[in-house]
Amino acid sequence: MNEIVSVCMATYNGEKYILRQLQSILSQLNPEDEVIISDDNSTDTTLAIIVQIGDKRIKVYKNQGLRGPLHNFEQAIRHASGNYIILSDQDDVWMPDKAQTIRSLLKNHDLVLTNCEVVDQNGTIIHASYFKHRGTKSGFWHNLYKNSYMGCCMAFRREILTYVMPFPTHIHMHDWWIGLLVELKGSVCFYPQPLLQYFRHGENASTTGEPGYGLLKRLKHRVFMLWHVAARILSR
């Protein structure tokens, strides 16, 4: 029996990309699966495009909380009903075997981080392996120092929500938060085969790494994150 998959997507003014991404996702899902979309008050035609798709597996919620990707993703996750949760950005493209591979890997792991191809707006490959480009590897301290966890490449079992939710209000990266906690309390799989094309087009809602951050700000982020992780671990 297949576990039910909830794809959780945060959208904001994604009219240029949303149809392409949803088509790549829906073609891989079973009839009982769902796509949970939390929209951060888009002002373009994003929601109209989603409605026009006409797929009953898509469930749309308008973000009623704080603005921004972190809180938008938190709302999407809160509405998910599936046993397996896959995070998705609005502007990438899934490779055809992503959903099935994730289902298989999550049978034995709490969280899966998959590799991806980094491509430009025309689909030209910039980095054939994000893992190689980023120096991705597991381990709490390594990922506190240099985060490997990118939300669009993450999937996890529902059980981890008991300790990763709610997100602390003032952290700035939900994927980093989830990854660090599961490193400490669960089992993680880093899957080296790229399962999506990660588009870099200059309009992305989030960035990889911390470009433009000075040393002091990076240090503050890490101390702040470590404090929140320790507080959550000790409280559960």
Side-chain angles (χ1 to χ4, degrees):
M1 177 179 177
N2 283 328
E3 300 284 355
I4 295 175
V5 166
S6 295
V7 178
C8 291
M9 179 186 294
T11 59
Y12 177 70
N13 288 354
E15 63 182 6
K16 295 180 182 178
Y17 320 104
I18 189 69
L19 178 60
R20 177 187 67 188
Q21 170 66 314
L22 284 173
Q23 287 174 336
S24 77
I25 293 171
L26 291 167
S27 63
Q28 303 185 42
L29 300 184
N30 296 329
E32 66 271 18
D33 295 333
E34 61 183 8
V35 178
I36 304 296
I37 295 176
S38 179
D39 184 76
D40 209 5
N41 299 284
S42 291
T43 57
D44 65 0
T45 61
T46 297
L47 293 177
I49 292 169
I50 294 170
V51 170
Q52 288 172 4
I53 294 173
D55 195 305
K56 294 181 179 180
R57 293 171 295 180
I58 301 176
K59 303 170 185 177
V60 180
Y61 302 88
K62 290 188 177 181
N63 183 18
Q64 302 297 322
L66 297 174
R67 302 292 297 275
L70 183 141
H71 303 289
N72 207 20
F73 268 111
E74 182 170 18
Q75 176 175 259
I77 293 170
R78 287 189 182 281
H79 285 288
S81 62
N83 309 92
Y84 294 163
I85 296 171
I86 306 177
L87 301 186
S88 173
D89 288 348
Q90 66 184 1
D91 47 7
D92 300 324
V93 171
W94 284 18
M95 294 181 180
D97 57 343
K98 179 178 169 78
Q100 187 56 44
T101 302
I102 292 296
R103 289 180 193 272
S104 177
L105 293 171
L106 283 178
K107 290 178 180 179
N108 299 306
H109 302 279
D110 294 313
L111 184 150
V112 174
L113 184 74
T114 69
N115 203 353
C116 67
E117 294 178 352
V118 183
V119 301
D120 67 15
Q121 60 185 353
N122 299 314
T124 302
I125 294 177
I126 303 171
H127 302 292
S129 168
Y130 179 78
F131 279 12
K132 183 177 180 180
H133 169 66
R134 183 70 179 167
T136 295
K137 62 181 180 180
S138 61
F140 176 84
W141 293 108
H142 172 80
N143 283 288
L144 181 65
Y145 169 69
K146 186 175 182 180
N147 178 41
S148 299
Y149 288 96
M150 188 161 64
C152 62
C153 296
M154 291 175 64
F156 45 82
R157 299 178 64 90
R158 183 173 193 84
E159 288 82 355
I160 76 164
L161 298 182
T162 60
Y163 57 87
V164 305
M165 298 283 275
F167 298 155
T169 302
H170 299 295
I171 64 170
H172 70 294
M173 293 170 67
H174 63 284
D175 38 17
W176 194 16
W177 166 256
I178 294 170
L180 288 176
L181 280 170
V182 182
E183 286 276 6
L184 292 175
K185 294 181 67 69
S187 60
V188 178
C189 171
F190 282 58
Y191 186 72
Q193 183 69 28
L195 292 182
L196 68 88
Q197 288 188 311
Y198 176 65
F199 278 78
R200 303 305 297 163
H201 45 67
E203 300 177 13
N204 304 76
S206 61
T207 58
T208 59
E210 296 169 282
Y213 287 2
L215 179 61
L216 182 59
K217 192 169 185 179
R218 292 185 185 210
L219 179 61
K220 285 182 177 179
H221 278 165
R222 282 149 182 78
V223 171
F224 188 70
M225 184 66 81
L226 180 60
W227 186 89
H228 275 289
V229 168
R232 180 62 58 87
I233 292 293
L234 292 173
S235 69
R236 299 296 170 99

